[in-house]
Amino acid sequence: MSFTLLADIGGTNTRFVLAKEGHGILSDSYEAFPNSGASSPEVLIQRYFQNQGIESCKQVVLALAAPTYGEEIVLTNHDWRFTIKSISAVSGAQDVRFINDLEALGYGLSALKSEQLQHLAGPSISGKNGPRVVVGAGTGFNAAIVTQAANGDHHVKAMEVGHMTLTVETQDEFDLWQYLAQGRERASVERALSGLGIEQIYQWHCQKNAYKPLHINAQSISSAALNKTDPMAEKAMQTFVHIYARTVGDLALAFLPKGGIFLSGSVTRAMAPWLQGSGFFDCFLAKGRQRDLMRQFPIYILQDDQAALLGCEIAANYDRN
Amino acid sequence: MSFTLLADIGGTNTRFVLAKEGHGILSDSYEAFPNSGASSPEVLIQRYFQNQGIESCKQVVLALAAPTYGEEIVLTNHDWRFTIKSISAVSGAQDVRFINDLEALGYGLSALKSEQLQHLAGPSISGKNGPRVVVGAGTGFNAAIVTQAANGDHHVKAMEVGHMTLTVETQDEFDLWQYLAQGRERASVERALSGLGIEQIYQWHCQKNAYKPLHINAQSISSAALNKTDPMAEKAMQTFVHIYARTVGDLALAFLPKGGIFLSGSVTRAMAPWLQGSGFFDCFLAKGRQRDLMRQFPIYILQDDQAALLGCEIAANYDRN
């Protein structure tokens, strides 16, 4: 069988799809599993193979929310460990590759259709006019930079921006900073701009307002805010959007992504209705003398949570050529 | 005459040197002028030519503390405006090029001798093992990224990191943040990490401690701190080092400069004795789970304030080949 298994192992969910030589991705084979339902990715692969009625594949490309150097992979936000050998053993594949999930998204960018991208602010993309940045807000937070060499080759590199210092601009935000830093000595960007971050920001608003929390997880906080059934959830979303916009603006000053900023990840998708309001772009632009520069960056929301799988296929082919 | 005029126009000083085809840089021709003593760079070029006994040159390469796209150059931190035409007219050169001053430093890196670099912390540089970052703290603050393509070509790009949000980690630092943000709506990195920043940090310490300021400018504050003649100056230096180290650490997470971090600029050189203490590296490393990653970045102080001139020559040649 000439199947390639493409997988995106996030901090919360794992997504699979098969590709077949000469046919590309087989859309019907797409399946997603919560990580919490399995003891290891090897178990999930077995389950997926069973569902698909296959026993083995030729190649595996895994997009991972983790550093991908070294022999053993240790997921950053979920307690799974595995190796090229263990994945090879369970899948039968001789060729097993790991790539960072944001790097997979970076490779996937060039193949995305317009309906997979929602324009948020700034100019529209026009040709390939500079580096692009993919920002991922989900279980964790990070960004990857996509540059193009003179020969047209794409170069994609994930950074560690989720561990940068969380910024504040008001006393209120510094109080939140201290709340997020409890038991540590600092608060990183990821402490606020992640699923757990939304939960903590919500709890902080509840505590500050002596309000009994009605929700525990990010998804229900986000829904309650949308449905306007919980004023603290709405406050939490507003706080999140300010921090998100300011942070993405800071990253724009660091990478000057004239080719576009692509916001991705489960938290970004849940926040999309809030990002559409004027609050996000106003905060993004608020860089003093650099306001005009800030207007030059196209900003998009990456709607498709399968884009990383597309990127896996491109990265694998790209690597072969 | 086959002279090339190389110049580094900073926010405070302008440095000149001549290069001669086949002979490289003529060290004896080096001269520096304070910008405040002249109404324009054209006037300074005339004065320099007079001192050197020449009337014109074939080529001019100017390193500038300013964006270098567009026809007219507007210096970021000094009120000079000039164009390729106006520089061509005064110098007689047909070939006039502008490059960003940090990009010039980036090009200059590869030609620096070991005595021009002072090892500050982290591993020593060993070969070309990753991107390099040049950080400039002087009249303003910025960084340039140096990467190497597969064919060995260097690519140098200045960012706008001085305009990123200034970070804080204590209530005291947030009070300083508010002091620096007075009359604006925000405090950027450059508000603290510059000559003016040192002066403001000093004034803030004086105000907070009801202490009559003994010094006005960054240079005398820095000297007073070194000579231990002013406790507020010492406090200002300590605050500066903390913010500097944390900011450089954040930039390391954004750019992963395994090839090295090179701290440059007049403020960096003035701060060098303070950076050597353990305070800088401790703050730099303090990125929680990423502490081990932080240990992998070589950190150097770029001692030579003529490195940008060296970079001008390399960039000019590099461009020609």
Side-chain angles (χ1 to χ4, degrees):
Chain A
M1 281 297 203
S2 58
F3 287 124
T4 292
L5 172 65
L6 309 172
D8 176 15
I9 306 186
T12 309
N13 294 297
T14 294
R15 299 174 184 85
F16 293 111
V17 80
L18 293 174
K20 204 174 167 182
E21 227 170 289
H23 293 78
I25 285 179
L26 309 172
S27 313
D28 289 350
S29 66
Y30 176 78
E31 272 189 83
F33 300 87
N35 294 351
S36 56
S39 58
S40 72
E42 292 87 346
V43 169
L44 280 188
I45 290 175
Q46 284 178 315
R47 200 173 297 167
Y48 176 69
F49 275 11
Q50 217 164 4
N51 292 354
Q52 296 296 319
I54 66 169
E55 282 180 1
S56 67
C57 63
K58 200 175 157 191
Q59 185 188 37
V60 178
V61 187
L62 295 187
L64 301 167
T68 52
Y69 38 81
E71 172 63 13
E72 190 188 41
I73 296 293
V74 181
L75 284 194
T76 310
N77 287 302
H78 190 76
D79 63 344
W80 280 355
R81 285 161 183 268
F82 49 94
T83 61
I84 286 191
K85 271 189 189 163
S86 71
I87 299 296
S88 179
V90 74
S91 64
Q94 293 300 309
D95 179 358
V96 175
R97 297 160 191 218
F98 298 150
I99 65 173
N100 177 281
D101 56 349
L102 277 176
E103 292 181 0
L105 282 177
Y107 284 112
L109 278 186
S110 54
L112 288 178
K113 295 181 187 117
S114 59
E115 65 264 28
Q116 294 166 301
L117 291 172
Q118 178 186 340
H119 183 251
L120 179 60
S124 293
I125 307 168
S126 55
K128 285 159 188 158
N129 42 8
R132 288 174 279 181
V133 169
V134 188
V135 174
T139 311
F141 186 92
N142 201 9
I145 317 307
V146 185
T147 51
Q148 199 166 14
N151 67 0
D153 277 3
H154 284 100
H155 180 73
V156 185
K157 192 174 173 194
M159 302 303 177
E160 291 288 352
V161 301
H163 300 278
M164 290 171 77
T165 310
L166 177 64
T167 61
V168 302
E169 291 194 329
T170 62
Q171 183 63 54
D172 231 32
E173 284 184 348
F174 185 63
D175 291 346
L176 171 62
W177 192 98
Q178 289 179 300
Y179 184 86
L180 296 171
Q182 268 171 358
R184 297 169 192 98
E185 283 175 349
R186 64 188 293 264
S188 65
V189 165
E190 189 168 274
R191 290 285 154 213
L193 297 181
S194 58
L196 190 63
I198 290 181
E199 295 163 17
Q200 297 246 291
I201 294 170
Y202 173 74
Q203 283 160 25
W204 173 75
H205 274 295
C206 287
Q207 192 187 73
K208 197 162 67 98
N209 292 280
Y211 185 95
K212 192 173 177 305
L214 302 174
H215 304 279
I216 290 176
N217 70 58
Q219 212 163 359
S220 64
I221 294 165
S222 156
S223 302
L226 271 180
N227 302 328
K228 297 183 183 297
T229 56
D230 181 345
M232 294 305 122
E234 292 182 65
K235 275 179 190 284
M237 292 296 105
Q238 279 155 12
T239 302
F240 186 97
V241 167
H242 278 125
I243 298 174
Y244 196 9
R246 184 169 62 235
T247 303
V248 173
D250 284 334
L251 295 178
L253 290 166
F255 299 116
L256 303 179
K258 297 275 173 78
I261 298 167
F262 301 86
L263 308 178
S264 73
S266 57
V267 168
T268 298
R269 286 191 298 276
M271 295 296 299
W274 296 89
L275 299 178
Q276 288 293 343
S278 68
F280 182 90
F281 196 44
D282 283 352
C283 281
F284 175 84
L285 292 177
K287 302 295 179 195
R289 284 186 285 169
Q290 298 301 320
R291 201 177 180 86
D292 285 344
L293 172 67
M294 300 306 287
R295 288 192 186 280
Q296 297 173 32
F297 305 116
I299 312 178
Y300 284 79
I301 295 175
L302 222 164
Q303 289 289 0
D304 197 325
D305 64 358
Q306 299 177 34
L309 296 174
L310 202 60
C312 282
E313 203 213 1
I314 293 169
N317 284 317
Y318 191 75
D319 223 31
R320 268 198 290 271
N321 298 337
Chain B
M1 281 298 205
S2 58
F3 286 125
T4 292
L5 172 65
L6 308 172
D8 176 16
I9 306 186
T12 310
N13 295 297
T14 294
R15 298 174 186 85
F16 293 112
V17 80
L18 294 174
K20 204 175 168 183
E21 226 168 291
H23 293 78
I25 285 178
L26 308 172
S27 312
D28 288 350
S29 66
Y30 176 78
E31 271 190 84
F33 300 87
N35 294 350
S36 56
S39 58
S40 72
E42 292 88 345
V43 169
L44 279 188
I45 290 174
Q46 285 178 314
R47 199 173 299 166
Y48 175 69
F49 275 12
Q50 216 164 7
N51 291 354
Q52 296 296 319
I54 65 170
E55 282 180 1
S56 66
C57 63
K58 199 175 156 192
Q59 185 188 38
V60 178
V61 187
L62 295 187
L64 301 168
T68 52
Y69 38 80
E71 172 64 13
E72 189 187 43
I73 296 293
V74 181
L75 284 195
T76 310
N77 288 302
H78 191 77
D79 63 343
W80 279 355
R81 286 162 182 267
F82 48 94
T83 61
I84 286 190
K85 271 188 190 163
S86 71
I87 299 296
S88 179
V90 75
S91 64
Q94 293 300 310
D95 179 358
V96 175
R97 298 159 191 219
F98 297 150
I99 65 172
N100 177 281
D101 57 350
L102 277 176
E103 291 180 0
L105 282 176
Y107 284 112
L109 279 186
S110 54
L112 288 178
K113 295 181 187 116
S114 59
E115 64 265 27
Q116 294 167 300
L117 291 172
Q118 179 186 339
H119 183 250
L120 180 60
S124 293
I125 307 168
S126 54
K128 285 157 189 161
N129 42 9
R132 288 175 279 182
V133 169
V134 188
V135 174
T139 311
F141 186 91
N142 201 9
I145 317 307
V146 185
T147 50
Q148 199 166 13
N151 67 0
D153 277 4
H154 284 99
H155 180 75
V156 185
K157 190 172 174 196
M159 303 303 177
E160 290 288 352
V161 301
H163 299 278
M164 290 170 78
T165 310
L166 177 64
T167 60
V168 302
E169 290 194 330
T170 62
Q171 182 64 54
D172 232 32
E173 283 184 349
F174 185 62
D175 292 347
L176 171 62
W177 191 99
Q178 289 179 301
Y179 183 87
L180 296 171
Q182 268 171 359
R184 296 169 194 99
E185 282 174 350
R186 64 188 294 264
S188 64
V189 165
E190 189 168 274
R191 290 286 153 211
L193 297 181
S194 59
L196 189 63
I198 291 181
E199 294 163 18
Q200 297 247 290
I201 294 170
Y202 173 75
Q203 282 161 24
W204 172 75
H205 275 294
C206 288
Q207 191 186 74
K208 196 162 67 98
N209 292 279
Y211 185 95
K212 191 174 177 304
L214 302 175
H215 304 279
I216 290 175
N217 70 59
Q219 212 163 358
S220 64
I221 294 165
S222 155
S223 303
L226 270 180
N227 301 329
K228 295 184 184 297
T229 57
D230 182 343
M232 294 305 121
E234 292 182 66
K235 275 179 190 283
M237 292 296 105
Q238 280 155 12
T239 301
F240 186 96
V241 168
H242 279 125
I243 297 174
Y244 197 8
R246 183 169 61 235
T247 303
V248 172
D250 284 334
L251 295 179
L253 290 166
F255 299 116
L256 304 178
K258 296 276 174 77
I261 298 167
F262 301 86
L263 307 178
S264 73
S266 57
V267 168
T268 298
R269 287 191 297 276
M271 295 296 299
W274 295 89
L275 299 178
Q276 287 293 342
S278 67
F280 182 90
F281 196 44
D282 283 352
C283 282
F284 175 84
L285 292 177
K287 301 295 180 196
R289 285 185 284 169
Q290 298 301 321
R291 201 176 179 86
D292 285 344
L293 172 67
M294 300 305 288
R295 288 192 185 281
Q296 296 173 31
F297 305 116
I299 311 178
Y300 284 80
I301 295 175
L302 222 164
Q303 290 287 2
D304 196 325
D305 64 357
Q306 299 178 36
L309 295 173
L310 202 60
C312 282
E313 203 213 1
I314 293 170
N317 284 317
Y318 190 76
D319 223 31
R320 269 198 291 269
N321 298 337

